[in-house]
Amino acid sequence: MSFKLRSLVFAVFMLVFGSALQAHELRPAVMDIGISDDRPGQLAIRLTLSGEAVLAGLDLSGITDTDASDRSAAYDALRALSSADLASRMRAGFADLAADITLRIGGEEAALALIDVSVIEEADLRLARDTVLEIGVRQPAGGGEISVDWPGARGALLIRQMGVGSDPAYADYLPDGGTSNSFTLATGAPPPVGEVITTYVHSGIIHIIPAGLDHILFVIGLLAYSLSG
């Protein structure tokens, strides 16, 4: 393949799949739930999502790109904030987010207490960044089955277990919100390494495929282009 032809192929590929690099793409939120190691009697929740989408008030039901929302301008303005400023606004707005989420333990609704907020900065500012919320939940003495009510307006949600005693094979995916399956957490020995690897591969696929197929195609295209030379 000549240099000019290869350049043309690459330019067309970037035009078609270049949107994969934009900050407008939305990924499913991920909720990891486990027994807290350093807070006896509490559950630990790590919720990873788009802080900008939450603060902009985007209705994520049925969309995978923020440009499809009438609140896209507000989202873009929040994208321009520093990670520290975005984290500060998420702390201030956590109550509104928590009001939309219902976590039940043993059939009883549990209160969500914000512990920390961090924003994962991307070196490439064209890429969407994740906001991670560390949440504590008081666990009843008797424990019980856990379930999550997630609003469809917050987009898709992937639920996993984490920590000692968790089930590494557990994953529940709510593409349009709703109520999760119920599950329990138990203290015990760490799971076999093989099970952990299998779970993370499975969860990774679920996390990527719903909104990240263009990323995969982009990488495959780059690989094909490099091999053509």
Side-chain angles (χ1 to χ4, degrees):
M1 185 183 290
S2 68
F3 175 79
K4 288 185 177 180
L5 183 56
R6 279 186 294 156
S7 298
L8 178 60
V9 170
F10 185 70
V12 172
F13 189 84
M14 288 295 292
L15 181 62
V16 174
F17 295 107
S19 61
L21 295 176
Q22 299 304 311
H24 304 281
E25 177 198 352
L26 291 165
R27 296 188 293 269
V30 178
M31 180 181 288
D32 294 303
I33 304 177
I35 296 173
S36 178
D37 292 330
D38 53 358
R39 293 180 177 85
Q42 281 198 350
L43 293 181
I45 296 176
R46 182 184 302 118
L47 179 58
T48 304
L49 42 62
S50 168
E52 292 92 342
V54 171
L55 294 172
L58 267 65
D59 182 348
L60 304 184
S61 53
I63 69 170
T64 58
D65 191 300
T66 61
D67 283 341
S69 169
D70 59 2
R71 300 288 299 164
S72 60
Y75 173 89
D76 291 339
L78 290 163
R79 278 284 303 158
L81 293 178
S82 68
S83 58
D85 285 343
L86 182 62
S88 177
R89 293 204 185 188
M90 278 302 302
R91 291 187 187 93
F94 175 72
D96 292 335
L97 174 63
D100 282 347
I101 305 169
T102 301
L103 180 81
R104 292 186 176 87
I105 306 175
E108 298 291 330
E109 187 172 338
L112 307 180
L114 182 64
I115 296 172
D116 194 19
V117 178
S118 59
V119 176
I120 310 234
E121 206 54 86
E122 291 285 354
D124 187 340
L125 296 180
R126 295 172 297 176
L127 294 175
R129 57 186 173 180
D130 285 328
T131 296
V132 181
L133 308 178
E134 301 290 344
I135 301 168
V137 178
R138 188 181 64 80
Q139 187 178 26
E145 291 191 331
I146 300 168
S147 65
V148 178
D149 288 348
W150 183 259
R154 298 295 184 186
L157 176 68
L158 171 64
I159 301 173
R160 304 181 300 198
Q161 296 182 20
M162 66 177 180
V164 175
S166 63
D167 178 1
Y170 184 87
D172 193 3
Y173 185 60
L174 304 177
D176 303 305
T179 302
S180 72
N181 294 315
S182 298
F183 64 92
T184 57
L185 295 168
T187 57
V193 174
E195 291 185 13
V196 175
I197 294 174
T198 300
T199 297
Y200 276 96
V201 170
H202 176 250
S203 297
I205 291 173
I206 293 177
H207 193 195
I208 293 172
I209 292 298
L213 185 58
D214 49 359
H215 285 257
I216 298 172
L217 294 173
F218 179 75
V219 173
I220 291 174
L222 289 180
L223 178 60
Y225 171 75
S226 65
L227 293 176
S228 68

